[in-house]
Coordinates of all heavy atoms in Angstrom, one line a residue:
M1 N 21.6 8.4 48.1 CA 20.3 8.9 47.7 C 19.3 7.7 47.9 O 19.5 6.6 47.4 CB 20.3 9.4 46.3 CG 19.0 9.8 45.8 SD 19.3 10.3 44.2 CE 18.2 11.0 43.5
V2 N 18.2 8.0 48.5 CA 17.2 7.0 48.8 C 15.9 7.5 48.2 O 15.5 8.7 48.5 CB 17.0 6.7 50.3 CG1 15.8 5.8 50.5 CG2 18.2 6.2 50.9
I3 N 15.2 6.7 47.3 CA 13.9 7.1 46.8 C 12.9 6.5 47.6 O 12.8 5.2 47.8 CB 13.8 6.6 45.3 CG1 14.9 7.3 44.5 CG2 12.4 6.9 44.8 CD1 14.9 6.9 43.1
R4 N 12.0 7.3 48.3 CA 11.0 6.7 49.2 C 9.7 6.5 48.5 O 8.9 5.7 49.0 CB 10.9 7.7 50.4 CG 12.1 7.7 51.2 CD 11.8 8.6 52.4 NE 13.1 8.8 53.1 CZ 13.3 8.5 54.3 NH1 12.3 8.0 55.0 NH2 14.4 8.7 54.9
D5 N 9.5 7.2 47.4 CA 8.2 7.1 46.8 C 8.3 7.4 45.3 O 9.2 8.2 44.9 CB 7.2 8.1 47.4 CG 5.8 7.9 46.9 OD1 5.4 8.3 45.8 OD2 5.0 7.2 47.6
F6 N 7.6 6.7 44.5 CA 7.6 7.0 43.1 C 6.2 6.7 42.5 O 5.6 5.7 42.9 CB 8.6 6.0 42.4 CG 8.6 6.2 40.9 CD1 9.3 7.2 40.3 CD2 7.9 5.3 40.1 CE1 9.3 7.3 38.9 CE2 7.9 5.4 38.7 CZ 8.6 6.5 38.1
S7 N 5.7 7.5 41.6 CA 4.5 7.3 41.0 C 4.6 7.7 39.5 O 5.4 8.6 39.2 CB 3.3 8.0 41.7 OG 3.5 9.4 41.6
F8 N 3.8 7.0 38.7 CA 3.8 7.3 37.2 C 2.4 7.5 36.8 O 1.5 6.7 37.1 CB 4.5 6.2 36.4 CG 4.4 6.4 35.0 CD1 5.3 7.2 34.3 CD2 3.5 5.7 34.2 CE1 5.2 7.4 32.9 CE2 3.4 5.9 32.9 CZ 4.3 6.7 32.2
V9 N 2.2 8.6 36.1 CA 0.8 8.9 35.5 C 1.0 9.0 34.0 O 1.7 9.9 33.5 CB 0.2 10.2 36.1 CG1 -1.1 10.4 35.5 CG2 0.1 10.1 37.6
A10 N 0.4 8.1 33.3 CA 0.5 8.1 31.9 C -0.3 9.3 31.3 O -1.4 9.7 31.9 CB -0.1 6.8 31.3
A11 N 0.2 9.8 30.2 CA -0.6 10.9 29.6 C -1.9 10.4 29.0 O -2.0 9.3 28.5 CB 0.3 11.4 28.4
S12 N -2.9 11.2 29.2 CA -4.2 10.7 28.7 C -4.4 11.2 27.2 O -3.7 12.0 26.8 CB -5.3 11.3 29.6 OG -5.3 12.7 29.5
G13 N -5.3 10.5 26.6 CA -5.6 10.9 25.2 C -5.2 9.7 24.3 O -4.6 8.7 24.7
P14 N -5.7 9.8 23.0 CA -5.4 8.7 22.1 C -4.0 8.6 21.7 O -3.2 9.6 21.8 CB -6.3 9.1 20.9 CG -6.4 10.6 21.0 CD -6.4 10.9 22.4
A15 N -3.6 7.5 21.2 CA -2.2 7.3 20.7 C -2.0 8.1 19.5 O -3.0 8.4 18.7 CB -2.0 5.8 20.4
P16 N -0.8 8.5 19.2 CA -0.6 9.3 18.0 C -1.0 8.5 16.7 O -0.7 7.3 16.7 CB 0.9 9.7 18.0 CG 1.5 8.8 19.1 CD 0.4 8.3 19.9
A17 N -1.6 9.2 15.8 CA -2.0 8.6 14.5 C -0.8 8.3 13.7 O 0.2 9.0 13.7 CB -2.9 9.5 13.8
E18 N -0.8 7.2 12.9 CA 0.2 6.9 11.9 C 0.2 8.0 10.9 O -0.8 8.6 10.5 CB -0.1 5.6 11.3 CG 0.0 4.4 12.2 CD 1.5 4.1 12.6 OE1 2.4 4.3 11.8 OE2 1.7 3.8 13.8
P19 N 1.4 8.4 10.4 CA 1.4 9.4 9.3 C 0.7 8.9 8.1 O 0.7 7.8 7.7 CB 2.9 9.6 9.0 CG 3.6 8.5 9.7 CD 2.7 7.8 10.7
V20 N 0.0 9.9 7.5 CA -0.8 9.6 6.3 C 0.2 9.6 5.1 O 1.0 10.5 4.9 CB -1.9 10.6 6.0 CG1 -2.6 10.4 4.7 CG2 -2.8 10.6 7.2
S21 N 0.2 8.5 4.3 CA 1.1 8.4 3.2 C 0.7 9.4 2.1 O -0.5 9.6 1.9 CB 1.0 6.9 2.6 OG 1.8 6.9 1.4
A22 N 1.6 9.8 1.4 CA 1.4 10.8 0.3 C 1.0 10.0 -1.0 O 0.6 10.7 -2.0 CB 2.6 11.6 0.0
I23 N 1.1 8.7 -1.0 CA 0.9 7.9 -2.2 C -0.6 7.8 -2.4 O -1.3 7.3 -1.6 CB 1.6 6.6 -2.2 CG1 3.1 6.7 -1.9 CG2 1.3 5.8 -3.5 CD1 3.7 5.4 -1.6
K24 N -1.1 8.1 -3.6 CA -2.5 7.9 -4.0 C -2.5 7.0 -5.2 O -1.8 7.2 -6.2 CB -3.1 9.2 -4.4 CG -3.1 10.3 -3.3 CD -3.8 9.9 -2.1 CE -3.7 10.9 -1.0 NZ -3.6 10.4 0.3
L25 N -3.3 5.9 -5.1 CA -3.4 4.8 -6.1 C -4.7 4.8 -6.7 O -5.7 4.8 -6.0 CB -3.0 3.5 -5.5 CG -3.1 2.3 -6.4 CD1 -2.1 2.3 -7.5 CD2 -2.8 1.0 -5.5
S26 N -4.8 4.6 -8.1 CA -6.1 4.3 -8.8 C -5.8 3.2 -9.8 O -4.7 2.9 -10.1 CB -6.5 5.6 -9.5 OG -5.6 6.0 -10.4
A27 N -7.0 2.6 -10.2 CA -6.9 1.5 -11.1 C -8.0 1.6 -12.1 O -9.1 2.0 -11.8 CB -6.9 0.2 -10.4
A28 N -7.7 1.1 -13.4 CA -8.7 1.0 -14.4 C -8.6 -0.4 -15.1 O -7.4 -0.7 -15.4 CB -8.6 2.1 -15.4
T29 N -9.7 -1.1 -15.2 CA -9.6 -2.4 -15.8 C -10.4 -2.6 -17.0 O -11.5 -2.1 -17.1 CB -10.1 -3.5 -14.7 OG1 -9.2 -3.4 -13.6 CG2 -10.0 -4.9 -15.3
T30 N -9.8 -3.2 -18.0 CA -10.6 -3.6 -19.3 C -10.5 -5.1 -19.4 O -9.5 -5.7 -18.9 CB -10.0 -2.9 -20.5 OG1 -8.6 -3.3 -20.6 CG2 -10.1 -1.4 -20.4
K31 N -11.4 -5.7 -20.2 CA -11.4 -7.1 -20.4 C -11.6 -7.4 -21.8 O -12.4 -6.9 -22.5 CB -12.6 -7.7 -19.6 CG -12.5 -9.2 -19.5 CD -13.5 -9.8 -18.4 CE -13.3 -11.2 -18.3 NZ -14.1 -11.8 -17.2
A32 N -10.8 -8.3 -22.3 CA -10.8 -8.8 -23.7 C -10.8 -10.3 -23.7 O -9.8 -10.9 -23.2 CB -9.7 -8.2 -24.6
K33 N -11.8 -10.9 -24.1 CA -12.0 -12.4 -24.0 C -11.9 -12.8 -22.5 O -12.7 -12.3 -21.7 CB -11.0 -13.1 -24.9 CG -11.2 -12.8 -26.4 CD -10.3 -13.6 -27.2 CE -10.5 -13.2 -28.7 NZ -9.7 -13.9 -29.6
S34 N -11.0 -13.6 -22.1 CA -10.9 -14.0 -20.7 C -9.8 -13.4 -20.0 O -9.4 -13.7 -18.8 CB -10.8 -15.5 -20.6 OG -9.6 -16.0 -21.2
V35 N -9.1 -12.3 -20.6 CA -7.9 -11.7 -20.0 C -8.3 -10.3 -19.6 O -8.8 -9.5 -20.4 CB -6.7 -11.6 -20.9 CG1 -5.6 -10.9 -20.3 CG2 -6.3 -13.1 -21.3
S36 N -8.1 -10.0 -18.3 CA -8.4 -8.6 -17.8 C -7.0 -7.9 -17.7 O -6.0 -8.4 -17.2 CB -9.0 -8.7 -16.4 OG -10.3 -9.3 -16.5
T37 N -7.0 -6.7 -18.1 CA -5.9 -5.8 -18.0 C -6.2 -4.7 -17.1 O -7.1 -3.9 -17.3 CB -5.5 -5.2 -19.4 OG1 -5.3 -6.3 -20.3 CG2 -4.2 -4.4 -19.4
T38 N -5.4 -4.6 -16.0 CA -5.6 -3.5 -15.0 C -4.4 -2.6 -15.1 O -3.2 -3.0 -15.0 CB -5.7 -4.1 -13.6 OG1 -6.8 -5.0 -13.5 CG2 -5.9 -3.0 -12.6
T39 N -4.7 -1.3 -15.4 CA -3.7 -0.3 -15.4 C -3.7 0.5 -14.1 O -4.7 1.1 -13.7 CB -3.9 0.7 -16.6 OG1 -3.9 -0.1 -17.8 CG2 -2.8 1.7 -16.6
L40 N -2.6 0.4 -13.3 CA -2.5 1.1 -12.1 C -1.8 2.4 -12.3 O -0.9 2.5 -13.1 CB -1.7 0.3 -11.1 CG -2.2 -1.1 -10.8 CD1 -1.2 -1.9 -9.9 CD2 -3.5 -1.0 -10.0
A41 N -2.2 3.5 -11.6 CA -1.6 4.8 -11.7 C -1.4 5.3 -10.2 O -2.4 5.2 -9.5 CB -2.4 5.7 -12.5
W42 N -0.3 5.8 -9.9 CA 0.0 6.4 -8.6 C 0.7 7.7 -8.7 O 1.5 7.9 -9.6 CB 0.6 5.4 -7.7 CG 2.0 5.0 -8.1 CD1 3.2 5.6 -7.7 CD2 2.4 3.9 -8.9 NE1 4.3 5.0 -8.3 CE2 3.8 3.9 -9.0 CE3 1.7 2.9 -9.5 CZ2 4.5 3.0 -9.7 CZ3 2.4 1.9 -10.2 CH2 3.8 2.0 -10.3
T43 N 0.6 8.5 -7.6 CA 1.3 9.7 -7.5 C 1.8 9.8 -6.0 O 1.3 9.2 -5.1 CB 0.5 11.0 -7.7 OG1 -0.7 11.0 -6.8 CG2 0.0 11.0 -9.2
G44 N 2.9 10.6 -5.8 CA 3.3 10.8 -4.4 C 4.4 9.9 -3.9 O 4.9 10.1 -2.8
A45 N 4.8 8.8 -4.6 CA 5.8 7.9 -4.2 C 7.2 8.5 -4.5 O 7.4 9.2 -5.5 CB 5.7 6.6 -4.9
T46 N 8.1 8.2 -3.6 CA 9.5 8.7 -3.7 C 10.4 7.6 -4.0 O 10.1 6.4 -3.6 CB 9.9 9.5 -2.5 OG1 9.9 8.7 -1.3 CG2 9.1 10.7 -2.2
G47 N 11.6 7.9 -4.5 CA 12.6 6.9 -4.8 C 12.5 6.4 -6.2 O 11.6 6.7 -7.0
T48 N 13.5 5.6 -6.6 CA 13.5 5.1 -8.0 C 12.7 3.8 -8.2 O 12.3 3.5 -9.3 CB 15.0 4.7 -8.4 OG1 15.5 3.8 -7.5 CG2 15.8 6.0 -8.5
S49 N 12.3 3.1 -7.1 CA 11.5 2.0 -7.2 C 10.5 2.0 -6.1 O 10.7 2.7 -5.1 CB 12.3 0.7 -7.2 OG 13.0 0.5 -5.9
V50 N 9.4 1.2 -6.2 CA 8.4 1.1 -5.2 C 8.1 -0.4 -5.1 O 8.4 -1.2 -5.9 CB 7.1 1.8 -5.6 CG1 7.3 3.3 -5.6 CG2 6.5 1.3 -6.9
T51 N 7.4 -0.8 -4.0 CA 7.0 -2.1 -3.8 C 5.5 -2.2 -4.2 O 4.7 -1.5 -3.6 CB 7.2 -2.6 -2.3 OG1 8.6 -2.5 -2.0 CG2 6.7 -4.0 -2.2
L52 N 5.2 -3.0 -5.1 CA 3.8 -3.2 -5.6 C 3.3 -4.5 -4.9 O 3.9 -5.5 -5.0 CB 3.7 -3.3 -7.1 CG 2.4 -3.7 -7.7 CD1 1.3 -2.7 -7.4 CD2 2.5 -3.9 -9.2
W53 N 2.2 -4.4 -4.2 CA 1.5 -5.5 -3.6 C 0.3 -5.9 -4.4 O -0.6 -5.1 -4.6 CB 1.1 -5.2 -2.1 CG 2.3 -5.0 -1.2 CD1 3.0 -3.9 -1.0 CD2 2.9 -6.0 -0.4 NE1 4.0 -4.1 -0.1 CE2 4.0 -5.4 0.3 CE3 2.7 -7.4 -0.2 CZ2 4.8 -6.1 1.1 CZ3 3.5 -8.0 0.7 CH2 4.5 -7.4 1.3
I54 N 0.3 -7.2 -4.8 CA -0.8 -7.7 -5.6 C -1.3 -8.9 -4.8 O -0.6 -9.9 -4.7 CB -0.4 -8.1 -7.0 CG1 0.2 -7.0 -7.8 CG2 -1.6 -8.7 -7.8 CD1 0.8 -7.3 -9.1
N55 N -2.5 -8.8 -4.2 CA -3.1 -9.9 -3.4 C -2.1 -10.4 -2.3 O -2.0 -11.6 -2.1 CB -3.6 -11.0 -4.2 CG -4.9 -10.7 -5.0 OD1 -5.6 -9.8 -4.6 ND2 -5.1 -11.4 -6.0
G56 N -1.4 -9.5 -1.7 CA -0.5 -9.8 -0.6 C 0.9 -10.3 -1.0 O 1.7 -10.6 -0.2
T57 N 1.2 -10.3 -2.3 CA 2.5 -10.7 -2.8 C 3.2 -9.5 -3.3 O 2.7 -8.7 -4.1 CB 2.4 -11.7 -3.9 OG1 1.7 -12.9 -3.5 CG2 3.7 -12.2 -4.5
S58 N 4.5 -9.3 -2.8 CA 5.2 -8.0 -3.2 C 6.0 -8.2 -4.4 O 6.5 -9.3 -4.7 CB 6.1 -7.6 -2.0 OG 7.1 -8.5 -1.8
K59 N 6.2 -7.1 -5.1 CA 7.0 -7.1 -6.3 C 7.7 -5.7 -6.4 O 7.0 -4.7 -6.3 CB 6.1 -7.4 -7.5 CG 6.8 -7.3 -8.8 CD 5.8 -7.7 -9.9 CE 6.5 -7.9 -11.2 NZ 5.6 -8.5 -12.2
T60 N 9.0 -5.6 -6.6 CA 9.6 -4.3 -6.8 C 9.5 -3.9 -8.2 O 9.9 -4.7 -9.2 CB 11.1 -4.4 -6.4 OG1 11.2 -4.8 -5.0 CG2 11.8 -3.1 -6.5
V61 N 9.0 -2.7 -8.5 CA 8.9 -2.2 -9.8 C 9.4 -0.7 -9.8 O 9.6 -0.1 -8.8 CB 7.4 -2.2 -10.3 CG1 6.8 -3.6 -10.3 CG2 6.5 -1.3 -9.4
A62 N 9.7 -0.3 -11.0 CA 10.2 1.1 -11.2 C 9.2 2.1 -10.8 O 8.0 1.9 -11.1 CB 10.7 1.3 -12.6
N63 N 9.6 3.2 -10.2 CA 8.6 4.2 -9.8 C 8.3 5.1 -10.9 O 8.7 6.3 -11.0 CB 9.2 5.0 -8.6 CG 8.2 6.0 -8.0 OD1 7.0 6.0 -8.4 ND2 8.7 6.9 -7.1
T64 N 7.6 4.6 -11.9 CA 7.2 5.4 -13.1 C 5.8 6.0 -12.9 O 5.4 6.8 -13.8 CB 7.2 4.5 -14.3 OG1 6.2 3.4 -14.1 CG2 8.5 3.8 -14.6
G65 N 5.1 5.6 -11.9 CA 3.7 6.2 -11.7 C 2.7 5.3 -12.4 O 1.5 5.6 -12.3
S66 N 3.1 4.2 -13.0 CA 2.1 3.3 -13.6 C 2.6 1.9 -13.7 O 3.8 1.7 -13.8 CB 1.6 3.9 -15.0 OG 2.7 3.8 -15.9
Y67 N 1.7 1.0 -13.8 CA 2.0 -0.4 -14.0 C 0.8 -1.1 -14.6 O -0.3 -0.8 -14.2 CB 2.4 -1.1 -12.6 CG 2.8 -2.5 -12.7 CD1 4.1 -2.9 -13.1 CD2 1.9 -3.5 -12.5 CE1 4.5 -4.2 -13.2 CE2 2.3 -4.9 -12.6 CZ 3.6 -5.2 -12.9 OH 3.9 -6.5 -13.0
V68 N 1.0 -2.1 -15.5 CA 0.0 -2.8 -16.1 C 0.1 -4.3 -15.7 O 1.1 -4.9 -15.8 CB 0.0 -2.7 -17.7 CG1 -1.0 -3.5 -18.3 CG2 -0.1 -1.2 -18.1
N69 N -1.1 -4.8 -15.2 CA -1.1 -6.2 -14.8 C -2.2 -6.9 -15.6 O -3.3 -6.4 -15.7 CB -1.4 -6.2 -13.3 CG -1.3 -7.6 -12.7 OD1 -0.3 -8.3 -13.0 ND2 -2.2 -8.0 -11.9
K70 N -1.9 -8.1 -16.1 CA -2.8 -8.9 -16.8 C -3.2 -10.1 -16.1 O -2.2 -10.8 -15.6 CB -2.3 -9.2 -18.2 CG -2.1 -8.0 -19.1 CD -1.7 -8.4 -20.5 CE -1.6 -7.1 -21.3 NZ -1.9 -7.3 -22.7
I71 N -4.4 -10.4 -16.0 CA -4.9 -11.6 -15.2 C -5.9 -12.3 -16.0 O -6.8 -11.7 -16.6 CB -5.5 -11.2 -13.9 CG1 -4.5 -10.5 -13.0 CG2 -6.2 -12.4 -13.2 CD1 -5.1 -10.0 -11.7
K72 N -5.8 -13.7 -16.1 CA -6.8 -14.5 -16.8 C -7.8 -15.0 -15.8 O -7.4 -15.5 -14.7 CB -6.1 -15.6 -17.5 CG -7.0 -16.4 -18.4 CD -6.2 -17.4 -19.3 CE -7.2 -18.1 -20.2 NZ -6.5 -19.0 -21.1
G73 N -9.0 -15.0 -16.1 CA -10.0 -15.5 -15.2 C -10.6 -14.4 -14.3 O -10.0 -13.3 -14.2
G74 N -11.8 -14.6 -13.8 CA -12.5 -13.6 -13.0 C -12.3 -13.8 -11.5 O -12.6 -14.9 -11.0
K75 N -11.8 -12.8 -10.8 CA -11.7 -12.8 -9.4 C -11.4 -11.3 -8.9 O -11.2 -10.4 -9.7 CB -10.6 -13.7 -8.9 CG -9.2 -13.3 -9.4 CD -8.1 -14.3 -8.8 CE -6.7 -13.8 -9.2 NZ -5.7 -14.7 -8.6
T76 N -11.4 -11.1 -7.6 CA -11.1 -9.8 -7.1 C -9.6 -9.7 -6.8 O -9.0 -10.7 -6.2 CB -11.9 -9.5 -5.8 OG1 -13.3 -9.6 -6.1 CG2 -11.5 -8.2 -5.2
T77 N -9.0 -8.7 -7.3 CA -7.5 -8.5 -7.1 C -7.3 -7.2 -6.3 O -7.9 -6.2 -6.7 CB -6.8 -8.4 -8.4 OG1 -7.1 -9.6 -9.1 CG2 -5.3 -8.3 -8.2
S78 N -6.5 -7.2 -5.3 CA -6.2 -6.0 -4.4 C -4.8 -5.6 -4.7 O -3.9 -6.4 -4.8 CB -6.4 -6.3 -3.0 OG -7.7 -6.7 -2.7
Y79 N -4.6 -4.2 -4.8 CA -3.3 -3.6 -5.1 C -3.0 -2.6 -4.0 O -3.9 -1.9 -3.6 CB -3.3 -3.0 -6.4 CG -3.6 -3.9 -7.6 CD1 -4.9 -4.0 -8.1 CD2 -2.6 -4.6 -8.2 CE1 -5.2 -4.8 -9.2 CE2 -2.8 -5.4 -9.3 CZ -4.1 -5.5 -9.8 OH -4.4 -6.3 -10.9
K80 N -1.7 -2.4 -3.7 CA -1.3 -1.2 -3.0 C 0.2 -1.0 -3.4 O 0.9 -1.9 -3.9 CB -1.4 -1.3 -1.5 CG -0.5 -2.2 -0.8 CD -0.7 -2.1 0.7 CE 0.1 -3.1 1.4 NZ -0.1 -3.1 2.9
V81 N 0.7 0.3 -3.3 CA 2.0 0.7 -3.7 C 2.7 1.3 -2.4 O 2.0 2.1 -1.7 CB 2.0 1.7 -4.8 CG1 3.4 2.2 -5.1 CG2 1.4 1.1 -6.1
C82 N 3.9 0.9 -2.1 CA 4.6 1.4 -1.0 C 6.0 1.9 -1.4 O 6.6 1.4 -2.3 CB 4.8 0.3 0.1 SG 3.3 -0.5 0.6
D83 N 6.4 3.0 -0.7 CA 7.8 3.4 -0.7 C 8.3 3.4 0.7 O 7.7 2.8 1.6 CB 7.9 4.8 -1.4 CG 7.2 5.9 -0.5 OD1 6.8 5.7 0.6 OD2 7.1 7.1 -1.1
A84 N 9.5 3.9 0.9 CA 10.2 3.8 2.2 C 9.4 4.5 3.3 O 9.5 4.2 4.5 CB 11.6 4.4 2.1
A85 N 8.5 5.5 2.9 CA 7.8 6.3 3.9 C 6.4 5.7 4.3 O 5.8 6.1 5.3 CB 7.7 7.7 3.5
G86 N 5.8 4.9 3.4 CA 4.5 4.4 3.7 C 3.9 3.8 2.5 O 4.5 3.6 1.4
C87 N 2.6 3.5 2.6 CA 1.9 2.8 1.5 C 0.6 3.5 1.1 O 0.1 4.3 1.9 CB 1.4 1.4 2.0 SG 2.8 0.3 2.3
S88 N 0.2 3.3 -0.1 CA -1.0 3.9 -0.7 C -2.2 3.3 -0.1 O -2.2 2.3 0.7 CB -1.0 3.7 -2.2 OG -1.3 2.3 -2.5
N89 N -3.4 3.8 -0.5 CA -4.7 3.2 -0.2 C -4.7 1.9 -1.0 O -4.0 1.7 -1.9 CB -5.8 4.1 -0.7 CG -5.6 4.5 -2.2 OD1 -4.5 5.1 -2.5 ND2 -6.5 4.3 -3.0
V90 N -5.5 0.9 -0.5 CA -5.7 -0.4 -1.2 C -6.8 -0.2 -2.2 O -7.9 0.4 -1.9 CB -6.1 -1.5 -0.2 CG1 -6.4 -2.8 -0.9 CG2 -4.9 -1.7 0.8
V91 N -6.6 -0.6 -3.4 CA -7.5 -0.6 -4.5 C -7.9 -2.0 -4.9 O -7.0 -2.8 -5.2 CB -7.0 0.2 -5.7 CG1 -8.0 0.1 -6.9 CG2 -6.7 1.6 -5.3
S92 N -9.1 -2.4 -4.9 CA -9.6 -3.7 -5.3 C -10.4 -3.6 -6.5 O -11.2 -2.7 -6.7 CB -10.4 -4.4 -4.2 OG -9.6 -4.6 -3.0
V93 N -10.1 -4.5 -7.5 CA -10.8 -4.5 -8.7 C -11.3 -5.9 -9.0 O -10.7 -6.9 -8.6 CB -10.0 -4.0 -9.9 CG1 -9.6 -2.6 -9.8 CG2 -8.8 -4.9 -10.1
V94 N -12.5 -6.1 -9.6 CA -13.0 -7.3 -10.0 C -12.7 -7.6 -11.4 O -13.0 -6.8 -12.3 CB -14.6 -7.4 -9.8 CG1 -15.1 -8.7 -10.3 CG2 -14.9 -7.1 -8.4
T95 N -11.9 -8.6 -11.7 CA -11.4 -8.9 -13.1 C -12.3 -10.0 -13.7 O -13.1 -10.6 -13.1 CB -10.0 -9.4 -13.0 OG1 -9.9 -10.5 -12.2 CG2 -9.1 -8.3 -12.5

């Protein structure tokens, strides 16, 4: 068999979108003296544990749908929650 000619035409259109994660994350912060307490709440995560990202640092926590983080000093802190299927929206709070 001899192939005399070959051509390839790529499909036109945008690349397929990444699947939208089912995880929704929210945060509420209170401050007492110089310590800020941020309560995170999420829905839609699967599995017994999730990966919680705090300013780019990961931490494995139980998938209870909530987590409390205490921070001393004022700064912006970003959070997201991930399971095996994807990650939540990023929530940033000023502490």
Side-chain angles (χ1 to χ4, degrees):
M1 175 180 192
V2 175
I3 298 175
R4 294 181 188 240
D5 190 277
F6 176 82
S7 65
F8 175 78
V9 178
S12 62
E18 291 292 319
V20 176
S21 174
I23 305 171
K24 304 298 178 215
L25 176 64
S26 63
T29 300
T30 58
K31 192 168 187 175
K33 298 187 182 180
S34 63
V35 177
S36 294
T37 302
T38 301
T39 302
L40 303 171
W42 65 87
T43 59
T46 59
T48 57
S49 64
V50 294
T51 302
L52 171 63
W53 290 87
I54 303 173
N55 286 338
T57 301
S58 67
K59 177 178 193 167
T60 301
V61 298
N63 185 11
T64 60
S66 67
Y67 183 83
V68 176
N69 190 44
K70 294 186 180 212
I71 296 177
K72 188 172 184 175
K75 64 178 183 176
T76 300
T77 305
S78 296
Y79 300 95
K80 74 177 175 179
V81 174
C82 303
D83 65 8
C87 294
S88 70
N89 51 305
V90 174
V91 174
S92 295
V93 297
V94 177
T95 55

